[in-house]
Amino acid sequence: MFFKKNSIETKTADEINKMRVAGRVVGEVLDKLSSIIKPGISTKDIDKFSEKYIRSKNMLPAFLGVEGVKYPFPATACVSVNDEVVHGVPSSSRILRSGDIVSVDVGAFYDGYYGDAAKTYPVGKVSDSALNLLRITELSLYESIKFALSGNRLGDISNAVQRTAENAGYSVVRDFVGHGIGRELHEDPPIPNFGQAGIGLKLTAGMVLAIEPMVNIGGYKVEMLDNDWTIATKDGSLSAHFEHTVAITENGNEILTKV
Ligand code: MG
């Protein structure tokens, strides 16, 4: 994760309007992928669809070319299968099979602003334990969004994710976190998926946050694979990832990446 700013930039109503446009297209990509993802397609097929859709709306793929450890990210979508947590590199030789779960993270850039969201999908018929992981991870996202309110603390968001995941017997990834978003894809503040309620940065209207729980069935430890991008669980257990871009408003919040 590369934070390019050292302070938190709150957004004006005009800026949030632009982010809503970018966010909606990201939400539409993830929504449409629900009917595209099935056994037999490749992770590259998911990437191709995402890129085509974003470009058809005169937007740019946000992740293409993001700097990495060894080389820039080479695709529009991060597509991570089963024990892969985030930053999966799409490949035409990685074919999805019934029983897999696949996490897709997509971002769009529009008129100077970013939108970013992610969702994990079941492929064909998956196990009850995998389905429960998806359910709890999505729940942890929505529980945490309830705390994304002016006057609350950043720790309230982090704690809601951790509490929801750990109460179900799962663990949250420590090494990767959510982030502020706006004119940069990754802005301050970092948003851990673990922490103590009632502490940390005070949230105010105009902050826009990409909240993104990464939840593992097994332990929280992760490692980078040999391609120098894909992050997978160390113990090989399944991992799920859900994300929304959320604007904190005067009287609540607005999910900018929801369709
Ligand atoms: Mg993100």
Side-chain angles (χ1 to χ4, degrees), residues 1 63 105 116-117 177-179 185-186 210 212 241 243:
M1 188 93 17
F63 302 163
D105 193 350
D116 185 5
V177 298
H179 49 93
L185 178 60
H186 297 129
E212 48 179 323
H241 180 208
E243 175 181 25

Side-chain angles (χ1 to χ4, degrees), residues 157 179 222 256:
I157 293 175
H179 49 93
V222 298
L256 302 180

Side-chain angles (χ1 to χ4, degrees), residues 25 27 32 36 70 80 82 90 94 113 123 125 130 170 172 181 186 198 205 217 236 238 249:
V25 166
K32 288 174 189 301
I36 288 169
K70 295 262 175 69
S80 310
N82 294 336
R94 186 76 192 262
Y113 292 86
V123 182
K125 187 166 170 43
Y170 301 141
V172 291
I181 180 169
H186 297 129
I217 284 188
L238 292 179
T249 59

Side-chain angles (χ1 to χ4, degrees), residues 73-113:
F73 193 74
T76 292
C78 297
V79 187
S80 310
V81 183
N82 294 336
D83 60 316
E84 296 171 359
V85 180
V86 287
H87 304 169
V89 178
S91 160
S92 52
S93 60
R94 186 76 192 262
I95 307 298
L96 297 177
R97 295 172 182 191
S98 184
D100 287 340
I101 58 171
V102 61
S103 301
V104 182
D105 193 350
V106 185
F109 181 70
Y110 168 76
D111 202 8
Y113 292 86

